């Protein structure tokens, strides 16, 4: 595990930023932008300046010397989504390959503009290009020694997945009967299929993808099951042009009869916030019917199994360390059955949207939400990292878990917010 000094205090040898001129590249009406602006105001700092993603994508963004520029998710804006994905329907699943190309080109151009203006970026723009390709991110984690599910598509040299026939072949060659098939550039469980096969060759998949009679794919808030290979193959074949990632479906621990995983926010190498997500389906995303679980019960289960909660957080910190250019990431932590082993499902560039959730005791983020904690981190400057053990992360849960979101059965957008 790595060490970071308490949030809100400058790291030894690193001067605090007394009055940073902060700029957010985001969608002005987005709640993420609002949360960050609120945190900046609460810290008594000058008002944040907003550069809309629309201006960035149209080449009209401007920056100034001395500004500190933070990138927010470009999701949840239909005009931005139209420019990135080339579709007028934000609920459509297809188009993530085009989204990725447009997003990475935009961030590369943004980095040049920021540098030419004498401003600085909070994060290295090369890191989201890896984080938003599940094949590359998986390989980065694996090479860093972070436990991850086995995957036959990990890394740039892995064979491309051109359709269901390739998925079937990879499963057979790898000895996998249960896999997750994911869009390489997807987020928010968009396009994810939990695929199961048996010895008799039967295939079924659980997913939030809704397939229309004409073959188009839509994101839905209702998780459904396709029980024939023909149906599963049709969906996978339609998704394949955008790029696919295949990985072992790890059996997860349960809480209250529901499968459970965790989203852990890591800021400057220190796990600061954690929330348990439980579900009756393989996908625990809150917008798909997942609910907030009991973090205290998780800690108790880990301890009863002979493990240490601090070790679970340490897995998340190691995952964050694999992306050193990111000040903040959200790590999806997968607890194995029995609560003794943990693996990392994904690392999210924009994984900090946990409204109302305050920091873990001992993290230095007590009483702060994820946005306030990031503002405090910016004020103290970026810490130098050195291997050490952390002391106070093994006890209490956040004080104010956020209210679970309600769901219905309407279609939903495949937002780039992870």
């Amino acid at each position: 595990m790595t060490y970071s000094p308490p949030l809100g205090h400058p790291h030894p040898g690193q001067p605090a930023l007394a009055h940073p001129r902060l700029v957010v590249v985001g969608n002005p009406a987005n709640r993420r932008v609002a949360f960050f602006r609120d945190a900046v105001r609460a810290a008594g700092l000058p008002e944040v300046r907003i550069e809309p993603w629309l201006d960035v994508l149209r080449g009209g963004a401007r920056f100034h010397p001395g500004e500190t520029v933070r990138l927010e998710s470009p999701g949840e804006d239909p005009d931005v989504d139209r420019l990135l994905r080339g579709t007028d329907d934000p609920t459509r699943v297809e188009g993530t390959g085009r989204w990725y190309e447009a997003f990475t080109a935009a961030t590369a151009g943004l980095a040049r503009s920021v540098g030419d203006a004498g401003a600085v970026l909070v994060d290295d723009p090369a890191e989201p290009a890896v984080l938003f390709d599940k094949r590359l991110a998986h390989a980065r984690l694996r090479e860093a020694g972070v436990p991850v599910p086995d995957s036959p598509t990990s890394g740039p040299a892995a064979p491309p997945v051109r359709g269901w026939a390739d998925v079937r072949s990879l499963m057979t060659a790898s000895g996998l009967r249960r896999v997750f098939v994911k869009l390489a550039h997807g987020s928010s469980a968009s396009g994810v299929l939990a695929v199961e096969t048996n010895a008799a060759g039967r295939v079924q998949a659980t997913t939030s993808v809704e397939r229309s009679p004409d073959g188009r794919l839509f994101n839905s808030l209702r998780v459904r099951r396709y029980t024939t290979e023909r149906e599963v193959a049709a969906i996978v074949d339609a998704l394949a042009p955008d790029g696919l990632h295949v990985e072992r479906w790890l059996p997860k621990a349960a809480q209250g009869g529901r499968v459970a995983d965790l989203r852990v926010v890591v800021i400057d190498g220190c796990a600061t916030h954690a929330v348990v997500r439980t579900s009756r389906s393989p996908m625990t995303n809150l917008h798909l019917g997942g609910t907030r679980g009991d973090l205290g019960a998780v800690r108790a289960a880990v301890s009863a199994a002979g493990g240490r909660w601090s070790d679970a957080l340490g897995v998340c910190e190691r995952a964050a360390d694999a992306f050193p250019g990111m000040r903040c990431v959200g790590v999806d932590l997968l607890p194995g059955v029995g609560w003794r082993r943990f693996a990392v499902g994904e690392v999210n560039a924009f994984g900090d949207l946990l409204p109302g959730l305050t920091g873990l005791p001992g993290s230095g983020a007590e009483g702060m939400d994820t946005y306030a904690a990031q503002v405090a981190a910016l004020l103290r400057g970026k810490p130098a990292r050195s291997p050490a053990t952390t002391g106070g992360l093994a006890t209490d849960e956040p004080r104010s878990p956020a209210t679970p979101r309600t769901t219905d059965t309407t279609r939903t957008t495949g937002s780039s917010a992870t």
Side-chain angles (χ1 to χ4, degrees), residues 139-155:
R140 177 85 69 88
L141 292 166
R142 186 193 62 213
E143 291 162 4
V146 176
V148 289
D150 294 337
S151 170
T153 57
S154 180

Side-chain angles (χ1 to χ4, degrees), residues 57-324:
L57 295 174
R58 292 168 175 167
R62 297 292 181 266
F63 303 96
H64 308 289
E67 291 184 325
T68 297
V69 183
R70 167 189 169 92
L71 300 190
E72 262 298 355
S73 169
E76 300 181 13
D77 184 293
D79 294 326
V80 171
D81 194 59
R82 186 179 301 110
L83 288 175
L84 290 172
R85 291 202 303 137
T87 177
D88 289 328
D89 187 344
T91 69
R92 289 290 297 277
V93 178
E94 302 96 330
T96 55
R98 173 172 170 163
W99 180 96
Y100 178 77
E101 291 181 3
F103 174 72
T104 53
T107 53
L110 180 69
R112 289 190 295 270
S113 298
V114 169
D116 290 346
V120 295
L121 282 165
V122 171
D123 298 312
D124 181 347
E127 297 283 44
V130 178
L131 288 165
F132 276 107
D133 189 321
K134 298 184 194 304
R135 301 162 298 191
L136 300 181
H138 186 282
R140 177 85 69 88
L141 292 166
R142 186 193 62 213
E143 291 162 4
V146 176
V148 289
D150 294 337
S151 170
T153 57
S154 180
V161 179
R162 294 159 296 194
W164 172 245
D166 286 346
V167 172
R168 264 294 212 177
S169 177
L170 289 171
M171 291 176 67
T172 300
S174 303
L176 301 176
R177 287 189 176 177
R178 287 162 43 101
V179 298
F180 276 98
V181 179
K182 303 178 178 181
L183 284 167
H185 313 299
S187 61
S188 302
S190 175
V192 173
L193 292 90
V195 177
E196 303 172 82
T197 63
N198 62 20
R202 183 177 176 181
V203 176
Q204 67 178 20
T206 305
T207 180
S208 62
V209 173
E210 175 187 347
R211 186 170 181 264
S212 67
D214 62 2
R216 293 179 299 163
L217 305 181
F218 298 89
N219 287 298
S220 171
L221 290 175
R222 183 172 69 85
V223 176
R224 65 200 69 213
R225 181 172 292 174
Y226 294 94
T227 58
T228 70
E229 185 167 3
R230 178 184 59 81
E231 291 174 305
V232 175
I235 294 173
V236 172
D237 288 345
L239 293 174
D242 282 313
L244 294 176
H245 174 61
V246 179
E247 63 185 29
R248 181 188 296 273
W249 177 351
L250 296 178
K252 290 193 291 190
Q255 184 176 99
R258 298 162 64 93
V259 296
D261 61 20
L262 295 95
R263 167 64 60 85
V264 179
V265 174
V266 181
I267 300 173
D268 283 349
C270 180
T272 58
H273 298 73
V275 66
V276 185
R277 307 180 299 187
T278 72
S279 177
R280 299 194 186 282
S281 83
M283 280 75 76
T284 60
N285 303 69
L286 300 184
H287 70 282
L288 296 179
T291 60
R292 295 285 173 90
D294 185 339
L295 188 59
V298 167
R299 295 196 322 273
V302 172
S303 178
R308 297 191 304 176
W309 172 237
S310 58
D311 290 341
L313 294 182
V315 172
C316 299
E317 292 176 346
R318 286 163 53 199
D321 281 345
F323 302 92

